[in-house]
Amino acid sequence: MEEEKRQTRVLIAIALVFCALLIGYNAFYVPDASLESFVETDQLSGNGEYSMEAEESSEKIHLNTASLEDLDTLQGIGPALAQRIIDYREEYGGFSRVEELKEVKGIGEVLFEQIRDSVTVEPAE
């Protein structure tokens, strides 16, 4: 009986050591999360730094040519507001400046600042 208690204590001690090692490993393990593993190589500039220019130019939505679906992808713009932007564009012959977006009903200063860097203006067709 004493031998069984001793063996049980030894097994519990071994289990505790194993758990401590496992917890310690997980607490201090840092996976390789370098920027290059998340960024496509064509978005890197020649010196290995992330280039925002490539991302911005490809993501900007042209107010004078964008479809309802394109406008709907903007943060804070739903289908109804996207339709109002298109209606404004058709009524006034397009946008000459990005700031004209504030004249569309439902686009206030806060929303405008939120989407300002995501849109651009091309000459109307």
Side-chain angles (χ1 to χ4, degrees):
M1 181 100 159
E2 278 299 315
E3 183 63 28
E4 289 176 4
K5 287 183 179 179
R6 189 175 77 68
Q7 288 177 350
T8 303
R9 289 182 186 147
V10 168
L11 287 173
I12 290 173
I14 290 172
L16 287 173
V17 168
F18 179 73
C19 287
L21 288 171
L22 188 61
I23 291 169
Y25 176 77
N26 285 331
F28 295 105
Y29 173 72
V30 179
D32 179 31
S34 62
L35 182 62
E36 287 80 19
S37 64
F38 296 107
V39 178
E40 294 179 18
T41 55
D42 63 335
Q43 290 180 334
L44 291 175
S45 62
N47 59 6
E49 294 179 4
Y50 183 70
S51 172
M52 294 296 288
E53 293 172 14
E55 183 177 315
E56 287 178 1
S57 65
S58 65
E59 289 186 14
K60 285 198 175 193
I61 293 177
H62 300 283
L63 292 175
N64 289 328
T65 59
S67 67
L68 185 120
E69 291 80 17
D70 293 335
L71 293 169
D72 191 23
T73 63
L74 292 169
Q75 185 178 2
I77 304 290
L81 199 48
Q83 185 60 53
R84 280 191 229 139
I85 293 171
I86 291 172
D87 292 344
Y88 181 93
R89 177 176 75 198
E90 291 172 356
E91 183 178 343
Y92 294 99
F95 293 88
S96 59
R97 303 179 341 243
V98 173
E99 289 76 16
E100 284 183 57
L101 264 178
K102 291 188 275 186
E103 297 176 22
V104 175
K105 182 180 177 187
I107 299 183
E109 191 66 37
V110 173
L111 181 56
F112 174 72
E113 289 301 324
Q114 190 175 339
I115 63 173
R116 165 185 241 159
D117 294 332
S118 301
V119 297
T120 187
V121 173
E122 282 186 340
E125 294 179 1

